[in-house]
Amino acid sequence: MNTTKNRWLIALSAIAIHLSIGGAYAYSVYTTPVSEQMGWTPTQVTIAFTIMMALAGSSAALFGKFVEKSGPRKSAMVSAVLFGVGQAGAGVAIAVDSLILFLLTYGLASGLGLGIGYISPVSTLVKWFPDRRGLATGLAVLGFGTGALITAPLAASLMSTVGIANTFYILGLTYFVFITLGASYIAPPPEGWMPAGMKKDMASGKKVFKKDLQQLTSKEAVKTRRFWLLWIMMLINTTAGIMMISVASPMAQEVVGLSAAAAATMVGIMGIFNGGGRIGWAAASDYIGRPNVFLIFFIIQTVAFFTLPITTNAIIFQILILLVVSCYGGGFSNLPAFIGDLFGTKQLGSIHGYLLTTWSLGGVFGPMLVSQIRERTDGYTAVFYVFLGLITLSLIVSILMKLDIKRIEKAYERKEETDAVNY
């Protein structure tokens, strides 16, 4: 049955799922209207988003094995129910004036649905696109980043016409429908499936496709050095990106004197670079390799965080911020393909879930670090130097990763040579 499926429609199904759950990032449009209508403080309203983001990465790790065992269709349907109910339930909480219910629905239920929905289609996409892993996962993760861009103006328009509660009802139902549609088509390919073009290229010797380093279970993967090297790389890359996103506007106004309007324009462009980085870096990784892409990320950011505290040029300052944000988006889109390269596709979803704990931690550490340092030093200069140190550490770790991969590849080459001689 799976052989009749079109892999580009599988990719479209994954995008539909990620577009829907990506709407969670449009939360800021609700903060002021909900606070003013309900009388809840902005801090109380923001707690729901904090809960959701904390659960997004942790639930991906917690339910990774469930996703592998149940398959992409069932797990995506669970996401559809949790995320849809969470969003629509937030409307009920508004209608009955219950902050606790709002935290349980938008925060808890949506957070669980977000984490499961994020990893549900990824391992399937990697299996359908063994020749273009980066591009395929980049498309899906681009959908996640684009979700907020679509949801924000739509939610703002709905709130002004039908009210806040009805907005949550409408969006909750819409998310449920789109995730369900994506789940209804998505399915893994038959074991060992390859696209016809890839088979032809391999048979003719026109292209040489690198084999996965190993085929490991999630338990085996977490015992390897390269799992933790990748975990450190993702944690620092994510922390730096979220830090930059959280304070970009006031930082640019204070450091290089951007006006509020210019800073707001820059924030909008950051969204484009975040999304563009997800697809651009992922597509590039199919040609230059995932280890090299991460190495480039940290070289770029090392230069950026070294230059940011000493530049007074507003254009250069903004370009550097945009580059950091593109590396942040690129990290997420390259991660699933990199996992496939390093550990195979046997339990990719579960391994992906474990590595997404860096998402939750980065979401906490990034804003916390910048706010604490800014408060104690009364400026952003120290922030840049702290992150320069962290990024330099990541650069070293990425070099160690390349060396570790080469070590394993050479070990396999020696084994193959020995086996050939013995044969």
Side-chain angles (χ1 to χ4, degrees):
M1 181 180 71
N2 285 333
T3 54
T4 63
K5 289 186 178 291
N6 183 302
R7 65 175 181 161
W8 292 103
L9 291 179
I10 293 285
L12 188 62
S13 300
I15 291 170
I17 295 169
H18 273 221
L19 269 174
S20 300
I21 60 175
Y25 269 111
Y27 188 76
S28 60
V29 301
Y30 302 121
T31 305
T32 300
V34 170
S35 178
E36 290 178 351
Q37 179 173 314
M38 307 308 298
W40 305 335
T41 66
T43 301
Q44 289 175 319
V45 177
T46 304
I47 290 173
F49 182 73
T50 304
I51 292 171
M52 180 170 63
M53 286 295 101
L55 281 172
S58 54
S59 66
L62 185 63
F63 293 103
K65 289 186 178 179
F66 166 78
V67 171
E68 290 293 340
K69 185 178 179 180
S70 303
R73 182 171 298 168
K74 280 187 180 178
S75 51
M77 280 304 306
V78 170
S79 172
V81 172
L82 286 170
F83 195 74
V85 167
Q87 298 291 302
V92 176
I94 296 295
V96 300
D97 192 9
S98 172
L99 176 60
I100 292 175
L101 183 59
F102 188 75
L103 300 179
L104 290 174
T105 52
Y106 201 103
L108 180 64
S110 293
L112 292 172
L114 175 56
I116 297 171
Y118 190 90
I119 62 173
S120 291
V122 170
S123 59
T124 303
L125 270 181
V126 170
K127 292 171 186 174
W128 276 105
F129 288 84
D131 54 336
R132 297 182 181 181
R133 282 180 174 175
L135 175 64
T137 55
L139 284 171
V141 179
L142 173 62
F144 183 80
T146 307
L149 296 178
I150 296 172
T151 298
L154 178 60
S157 177
L158 285 170
M159 283 189 289
S160 65
T161 53
V162 300
I164 299 173
N166 287 329
T167 296
F168 281 122
Y169 298 149
I170 292 168
L171 291 178
L173 178 61
T174 303
Y175 295 144
F176 176 80
V177 169
F178 271 88
I179 298 174
T180 301
L181 286 172
S184 67
Y185 190 80
I186 201 165
E191 189 71 27
W193 179 89
M194 282 191 291
M198 184 176 178
K199 285 183 181 179
K200 186 178 178 181
D201 288 341
M202 289 181 70
S204 66
K206 185 179 178 181
K207 279 186 181 179
V208 177
F209 294 91
K210 288 188 72 173
K211 292 182 179 179
D212 297 335
L213 208 57
Q214 284 180 301
Q215 291 289 332
L216 302 181
T217 65
S218 56
K219 281 187 178 179
E220 292 168 337
V222 297
K223 294 177 183 177
T224 64
R225 182 193 307 171
R226 61 190 179 280
F227 175 89
W228 293 105
L229 292 175
L230 183 54
W231 191 90
I232 292 169
M233 288 156 59
M234 279 300 300
L235 176 62
I236 295 176
N237 193 60
T238 303
T239 302
I242 292 177
M243 178 280 292
M244 195 64 79
I245 290 169
S246 69
V247 295
S249 178
M251 178 190 287
Q253 292 179 61
E254 181 177 321
V255 177
V256 291
L258 243 61
S259 67
T265 300
M266 181 192 71
V267 170
I269 297 172
M270 283 170 63
I272 297 171
F273 271 75
N274 186 358
R278 290 168 191 257
I279 186 66
W281 287 116
S285 75
D286 287 332
Y287 298 94
I288 64 175
R290 259 66 71 174
N292 290 329
V293 166
F294 272 87
L295 190 63
I296 292 168
F297 285 166
F298 299 126
I299 291 172
I300 288 173
Q301 291 181 84
T302 298
V303 173
F305 282 108
F306 177 80
T307 309
L308 281 167
I310 59 176
T311 185
T312 56
N313 185 293
I315 294 175
I316 293 174
F317 190 87
Q318 292 176 83
I319 289 172
L320 294 172
I321 288 178
L322 295 173
L323 286 172
V324 171
V325 171
S326 82
C327 294
Y328 165 73
F332 280 112
S333 61
N334 273 283
L335 179 60
F338 204 1
I339 293 169
D341 296 344
L342 296 175
F343 309 110
T345 57
K346 185 188 289 187
Q347 290 190 355
L348 192 150
S350 182
I351 299 168
H352 191 202
Y354 288 154
L355 283 161
L356 282 177
T357 54
T358 58
W359 186 12
S360 294
L361 291 173
V364 173
F365 291 153
M368 181 181 71
L369 273 173
V370 69
S371 62
Q372 288 294 318
I373 297 170
R374 169 70 180 81
E375 185 178 319
R376 296 185 183 189
T377 63
D378 197 31
Y380 288 102
T381 300
V383 172
F384 298 137
Y385 287 123
V386 167
F387 276 90
L388 174 61
L390 290 172
I391 292 297
T392 302
L393 172 61
S394 276
L395 179 58
I396 295 168
V397 171
S398 67
I399 293 170
L400 292 175
M401 172 70 88
K402 279 181 68 69
L403 294 174
D404 196 51
I405 292 170
K406 285 183 179 179
R407 176 183 61 82
I408 296 169
E409 287 175 339
K410 285 182 179 179
Y412 281 133
E413 286 174 8
R414 287 195 297 267
K415 185 177 183 302
E416 287 175 358
E417 289 171 0
T418 304
D419 289 345
V421 170
N422 292 336
Y423 181 76

